[in-house]
Amino acid sequence: MKRIVFIWLKRWPLNSARLPSQAAQPFGLNVAGSHGLRLAAVSPAAEAAGITVGMSLADARAICPDLKSQPLEPEKSLKALRQLARWAGRYTPWVNVHHIAPSATGEGAEYGLQLDITGCAHLFAHSRGEDGEPAMLLDISERLEASGIEHAIGLGDTLGAAIAVARFAGPIHIIPHDPHGDETRRALSSLPVDSLRLDAKTCQTLCRLGLNSVGALLRLPRVALARRFPVSKDGRDMGGQDMGGAVLRRLDQAFGRIREPIEPIMPVPPLRARMNFAEPVVETDALVLALDGLVADLCRGLGRMNKKMRRMSLWLYRADGAVHRISAGIVAASRDEAHLLRLLSERVKQIDIQENSGDFGIELLILSADRVEEDTASQPTLVQAPASIDFDKEIARLMDRLKGRFHASAGDDYGAGRTPHSLTPQASHRPERAQLSLPVRTCAANDRWGASPGADRQTPIRPFRLLPRPERVQIPDNISADDQRGDGPPLRFLWRHQNVVIRRAEGPERISPEWWPDAQDDARRMDQEGGPSSRDLRDYYRLEAENGQRFWLYYSTPPKDEADVWPPKSNWYLHGIFA
Amino acid sequence: MDVFQAMDIIKGRSVVAPTGGDIRTNPSLPRGGVQMTPQKAEVEEWAPDLPVWTLGADGVDECLPNGALTISALHEISPMRPLDAPAAMGFIVALLVRLQRGLRRSGRKHILWCSRGFETREFGALYGPGLQQLGLDPSLLRIVRVERDDDVLWAMEEGLGCSGLAGVVGEVADASLTATRRLLLAAGKSGVPGILLRSSGPMAPSAAYSRWRVGMAPSLSPHSDDLRAETDNRAFFPSWQVELARQRFGSQRLDGLGGQQMKWNMVWNYEKNCFHMAETLAAQQCAVA
């Protein structure tokens, strides 16, 4: 049986935006409905003045003239809720957000966090054998309190029960574990039917029938409930949109007769190791020291599972609630402590612990093995000398370290940023598409370049460095576009303010555009930069200047809209440089 | 095996052929103050498994200590003029091809190329099809592209510490004496050679074992018979002016050359993976003509 915690966040939009929810000032957040602005969240002071959620802003102003209000930003509060869910990752990896956006009338919004803490609570026990659940809930509550977040926490065997007690049974309520459901029955029977996540209309109907509490519903025969509130065919009873169908289903969910698993917002790692600090740690060096034990822990766990790691994340929980994540990919799966430690400590040294904060330190470290794979002892083959396996391993480690150092990579013109990459051929005649830069992910050498290195007489020579995009060269004489073509390449041109006089030329080599349309993307990219289209017919020439520079130049058929421009633009582009 | 044993093998005193190609136990050729200069052929004859990094060009190898470039060391290439950078890079590719040839028995073949954003923007990114034609297998390249010199030097040092690599190349604007010394130490420890492409103009102090200056040179005319036979009247072999500006432990040969400047016009034959001297080629052409 699972143990589920539900954290009910009553005024989340106010809390998340750090608006004056606790202050004495009446305050509300409004949504635009069909009949003007309506309130979707109100501060305690406003509530005390008699203002409720769903009231129109005009009415509320009439009751309380100094009510301040601003529009609700649902995306922002959802984003903040997701961040809070990341923070809640310190309790369990199984966390999901519970978010129902307000309707046009401002009502019906729900915010919360669902945590599956099965097997996690003992980490919070103060002594061996003690049940850690109360301590854990207290810890959650204290931390939320410190951040000024209004909350109520329920713990039960099912999500439905946890939600019910969180919302209707006080700030912290624990339903003791009971496989038969008697404890859940006892806890829920006195609660109102609203606690069952039913829509307002159904609740109203039930109350009108005199069924005020969950206990009253439980006393009814199931058949009658099913007949009265049949499950709708498409099963759209989860979001509170559908009138009937929900009651029996919700009851079954609350009592565990229907499974309702929590879908974690982030993939649950197969293995985690955690380290709590008695005092928040501010020094980076101290963190690096602490990593030692953490990595050893994780590696021991991996060893027990006979697994190796391909990807790991280190989560640093700062005392003020900020969460920092470092993730590192590992080229050759490993559980070598020294190597992993080196990767992580390099990254930890880079981060700024106290970014945007005062003296808060790190109070918790969690190291998770995000991707693991079976530990297959590499077997030396007859072809491959054992030494070369060692070499591959060492190179894979080197790549890990380089990745760690140059990790913040934005893609550039060649697809790979600063991370180590290797070159892979691509079947294309377009020079700029003939190679791909792929980040180094595996240590296996790709020999897809095929032919042995060296030139053969059939394939034309290619430059060894290719410019990120072809650059237009200027032809000094103002000859018209038609004449530019002439009988061959230009005898002189201007490139990057350098006057190039050509001594020798070879060509042309005609390269046609590919007929299939997947080049749209780079066509657009090149056009934006004022460069040539990538879907043109090109005649390439190899040129050698008088001083020995060797260029790869091409003539491109002018685009239609440029054909009649005067003075004519040059249609010669420089694309590469020879050794 | 220690250095003296290696020397024995080279001199032919020992008849026990070295086994395996493990670079870590087989130090490269003895260097530094050793008063002997075996001929290249001699080395290859007696120690076929020892990695030897020759250029394969007659006039040049003789000028190097022991007739080859030191493998576990740092070498520096700089362009003669800013525009010569592609020539210097091409020369580096040629050196790498020779290096891989020398190391072919050891199993190490991957090259780490630490590229700089500036060079990429100015001269383009490394292009596999072209590299392949120069003789370097692009799949063996691991490329890191960074912006700052410090990052290049950091990556190079990491790479030089990894004894699984065949070589490390770094493109920098400038490097301090301390930085080059660090690289040299790392290279000496792991036995992985480092090649530094240093674009700054004047010859700043450096710990590199050999320092080359490379400039572009007009290629030979394709209509000369010898080259035409080889290139099929199609491509021009890359040709460069290469100058061995400084080198450590090479003084005895320098004396022998009578202070003659070590400057050559070299042509890279990528069909045979070796250098030609432009003069020799030209002479051959004349003879044929």
Side-chain angles (χ1 to χ4, degrees):
Chain A
M1 194 59 124
K2 300 266 181 198
R3 295 295 280 163
I4 310 284
V5 166
F6 185 76
I7 306 173
W8 172 249
L9 303 164
K10 195 181 168 195
R11 290 185 222 278
W12 178 247
L14 287 169
N15 294 146
S16 65
R18 307 203 179 266
L19 294 170
S21 62
Q22 311 294 331
Q25 187 192 23
F27 190 87
L29 290 172
N30 57 52
V31 291
S34 50
H35 299 289
L37 298 179
R38 287 182 177 272
L39 289 174
V42 293
S43 72
E47 210 168 51
I51 295 168
T52 56
V53 167
M55 195 178 265
S56 83
L57 185 60
D59 291 350
R61 282 259 162 78
I63 297 173
C64 176
D66 56 348
L67 174 77
K68 294 244 182 330
S69 178
Q70 70 183 56
L72 171 78
E73 288 164 289
E75 288 81 23
K76 247 187 185 168
S77 68
L78 178 60
K79 204 176 153 202
L81 193 60
R82 292 222 175 90
Q83 257 169 14
L84 193 71
R86 249 167 85 119
W87 166 85
R90 59 187 296 151
Y91 297 106
T92 166
W94 298 81
V95 184
N96 196 7
V97 297
H98 178 93
H99 179 263
I100 297 173
S103 64
T105 60
E107 292 167 309
E110 290 179 18
Y111 308 94
L113 289 182
Q114 309 166 352
L115 281 66
D116 184 343
I117 59 153
T118 316
C120 298
H122 70 276
L123 293 169
F124 293 83
H126 296 299
S127 62
R128 190 171 269 278
E130 182 198 328
D131 181 16
E133 284 174 353
M136 185 184 200
L137 296 198
L138 212 62
D139 189 71
I140 298 177
S141 178
E142 271 170 10
R143 286 178 196 281
L144 289 175
E145 192 72 50
S147 313
I149 297 170
E150 256 179 85
H151 59 276
I153 305 174
L155 168 60
D157 287 343
T158 63
L159 180 61
I163 291 179
V165 292
R167 293 186 58 182
F168 291 91
I172 298 183
H173 191 103
I174 299 178
I175 306 174
H177 177 53
D178 176 14
H180 306 296
D182 292 338
E183 293 285 353
T184 310
R185 188 182 301 269
R186 199 171 304 141
L188 258 55
S189 53
S190 59
L191 299 183
V193 287
D194 306 71
S195 64
L196 285 178
R197 291 182 282 167
L198 298 167
D199 57 307
K201 239 175 172 176
T202 316
C203 290
Q204 212 178 359
T205 317
L206 289 171
C207 291
R208 226 176 266 157
L209 294 169
L211 300 166
N212 287 316
S213 66
V214 178
L217 279 178
L218 285 173
R219 281 190 289 277
L220 287 183
R222 287 175 62 86
V223 182
L225 269 179
R227 200 167 50 223
R228 183 67 202 237
F229 303 101
V231 175
S232 60
K233 269 177 197 149
D234 54 352
R236 273 194 329 129
D237 52 340
M238 300 304 285
Q241 303 287 321
D242 204 7
M243 164 65 198
V247 178
L248 196 58
R249 189 189 170 87
R250 288 298 192 199
L251 265 181
D252 285 348
Q253 280 175 345
F255 288 94
R257 288 188 286 261
I258 294 179
R259 277 166 49 81
E260 192 180 7
I262 287 176
E263 290 169 25
I265 49 168
M266 267 175 305
V268 175
L271 202 62
R272 303 211 308 179
R274 54 184 288 142
M275 181 172 286
N276 262 314
F277 299 118
E279 286 286 319
V281 175
V282 182
E283 294 291 319
T284 311
D285 295 343
L287 279 183
V288 172
L289 279 179
L291 273 179
D292 206 349
L294 208 57
V295 171
D297 254 9
L298 196 72
C299 289
R300 223 173 297 129
L302 285 169
R304 241 177 278 129
M305 292 158 70
N306 198 26
K307 294 262 162 83
K308 282 182 170 181
M309 199 157 36
R310 280 304 296 275
R311 179 160 205 87
M312 61 182 170
S313 307
L314 179 70
W315 300 81
L316 301 104
Y317 292 86
R318 214 166 60 186
D320 64 340
V323 183
H324 201 104
R325 179 190 188 180
I326 293 173
S327 53
I330 300 152
V331 170
S334 156
R335 58 163 183 264
D336 179 8
E337 283 174 36
H339 176 55
L340 301 178
L341 191 63
R342 190 167 167 190
L343 284 184
L344 284 176
S345 45
E346 186 67 43
R347 296 283 299 276
V348 166
K349 280 177 199 156
Q350 282 177 39
I351 65 163
D352 181 11
I353 296 179
Q354 290 172 9
E355 185 190 27
N356 308 326
S357 84
D359 286 334
F360 294 109
I362 304 293
E363 53 174 5
L364 172 67
L365 287 180
I366 291 182
L367 180 64
S368 62
D370 293 344
R371 206 181 309 151
V372 297
E373 58 184 43
E374 216 54 55
D375 181 8
T376 47
S378 51
Q379 199 171 13
T381 58
L382 284 175
V383 196
Q384 199 178 22
S388 89
I389 293 176
D390 281 350
F391 292 156
D392 284 348
K393 205 165 150 190
E394 279 186 49
I395 293 170
R397 289 186 176 179
L398 173 68
M399 293 302 135
D400 290 343
R401 290 200 294 278
L402 292 174
K403 263 188 195 174
R405 164 91 176 210
F406 307 119
H407 59 99
S409 59
D412 60 3
D413 294 329
Y414 285 82
R418 309 195 300 164
T419 53
H421 55 271
S422 56
L423 305 176
T424 310
Q426 203 181 18
S428 172
H429 289 292
R430 304 297 279 183
E432 63 270 24
R433 303 190 57 204
Q435 95 170 4
L436 270 182
S437 293
L438 293 179
V440 182
R441 289 229 177 75
T442 55
C443 49
N446 51 342
D447 43 9
R448 277 183 288 168
W449 284 94
S452 60
D456 62 70
R457 278 149 208 240
Q458 277 74 43
T459 41
I461 293 292
R462 292 277 180 262
F464 82 128
R465 298 196 77 126
L466 197 71
L467 290 177
R469 53 177 63 84
E471 290 177 18
R472 200 189 280 256
V473 300
Q474 286 168 23
I475 310 292
D477 308 309
N478 276 343
I479 38 180
S480 74
D482 292 336
D483 296 344
Q484 266 187 27
R485 188 64 222 277
D487 293 328
L491 288 177
R492 56 175 63 222
F493 59 84
L494 208 62
W495 175 60
R496 290 183 180 170
H497 307 292
Q498 178 203 347
N499 198 359
V500 181
V501 183
I502 295 304
R503 195 173 73 105
R504 283 176 46 201
E506 284 179 357
E509 178 197 351
R510 172 157 294 190
I511 298 182
S512 317
E514 285 153 349
W515 56 265
W516 53 91
D518 64 351
Q520 282 172 354
D521 188 11
D522 43 344
R524 192 173 56 238
R525 201 179 66 199
M526 290 181 125
D527 288 342
Q528 277 170 357
E529 297 296 321
S533 154
S534 71
R535 302 196 54 72
D536 52 355
L537 195 67
R538 296 174 181 177
D539 285 334
Y540 278 92
Y541 290 87
R542 290 184 293 278
L543 305 180
E544 186 179 287
E546 282 196 323
N547 59 5
Q549 281 175 294
R550 284 173 278 266
F551 300 111
W552 208 33
L553 210 67
Y554 74 84
Y555 176 84
S556 156
T557 43
K560 278 185 189 120
D561 52 336
E562 263 186 31
D564 300 328
V565 181
W566 189 265
K569 281 188 179 172
S570 145
N571 293 311
W572 289 92
Y573 298 88
L574 202 148
H575 203 178
I577 295 173
F578 291 97
Chain B
M1 183 166 66
D2 60 16
V3 175
F4 296 104
Q5 279 174 314
M7 282 166 53
D8 285 347
I9 289 165
I10 292 159
K11 285 184 178 169
R13 278 190 212 136
S14 161
V15 285
V16 181
T19 54
D22 195 349
I23 189 71
R24 283 165 301 188
T25 54
N26 286 0
S28 59
L29 289 169
R31 57 169 193 271
V34 179
Q35 293 298 317
M36 48 162 277
T37 50
Q39 289 301 302
K40 183 179 56 193
E42 194 184 336
V43 172
E44 291 186 348
E45 184 186 338
W46 281 103
D49 284 349
L50 272 184
V52 182
W53 186 8
T54 58
L55 269 64
D58 288 335
V60 186
D61 285 336
E62 276 75 10
C63 296
L64 295 166
N66 305 322
L69 281 166
T70 312
I71 289 191
S72 52
L74 180 71
H75 303 277
E76 199 177 292
I77 321 284
S78 42
M80 289 178 179
R81 293 163 303 245
L83 279 180
D84 289 328
M89 292 163 188
F91 183 63
I92 289 178
V93 172
L95 285 186
L96 289 176
V97 174
R98 293 297 301 180
L99 173 67
Q100 282 182 333
R101 186 175 178 274
L103 289 176
R104 64 190 182 276
R105 303 240 176 150
S106 73
R108 309 184 324 188
K109 46 194 185 210
H110 288 87
I111 307 279
L112 176 70
W113 192 301
C114 313
S115 185
R116 209 161 57 113
F118 176 80
E119 267 76 14
T120 307
R121 286 186 293 274
E122 283 293 301
F123 308 110
L126 290 170
Y127 187 55
L131 289 172
Q132 191 175 24
Q133 284 168 337
L134 283 178
L136 189 68
D137 184 356
S139 61
L140 300 177
L141 270 185
R142 299 286 177 267
I143 304 167
V144 185
R145 185 154 51 248
V146 292
E147 286 298 323
R148 295 182 310 133
D149 276 3
D150 288 352
D151 287 335
V152 173
L153 292 172
W154 185 90
M156 278 188 83
E157 203 177 322
E158 283 289 314
L160 289 174
C162 169
S163 50
L165 285 176
V168 178
V169 182
E171 300 168 353
V172 291
D174 206 354
S176 66
L177 180 61
T178 321
T180 52
R181 197 172 283 153
R182 282 183 71 111
L183 294 180
L184 177 67
L185 282 175
K189 216 166 152 188
S190 64
V192 178
I195 302 180
L196 196 64
L197 173 71
R198 192 167 175 172
S199 323
S200 63
M203 297 293 273
S206 162
Y209 264 42
S210 69
R211 306 181 69 183
W212 304 77
R213 297 180 69 217
V214 180
M216 51 204 172
S219 56
L220 299 174
S221 161
H223 302 297
S224 59
D225 292 329
D226 186 57
L227 269 182
R228 182 164 57 180
E230 282 191 292
T231 60
D232 220 3
N233 198 11
R234 174 177 47 84
F236 21 66
F237 282 144
S239 45
W240 307 295
Q241 298 171 41
V242 177
E243 184 192 349
L244 179 54
R246 296 259 171 86
Q247 64 167 327
R248 283 206 206 175
F249 314 121
S251 52
Q252 68 271 32
R253 294 303 293 182
L254 279 184
D255 292 344
L257 286 172
Q260 174 197 342
Q261 216 185 9
M262 290 186 287
K263 200 165 179 179
W264 306 274
N265 266 330
M266 293 170 82
V267 179
W268 175 243
N269 180 341
Y270 37 67
E271 287 172 353
K272 289 181 180 165
N273 286 354
C274 64
F275 287 103
H276 292 301
M277 304 313 267
E279 291 79 15
T280 331
L281 278 183
Q284 282 171 4
Q285 285 156 20
C286 288
V288 171

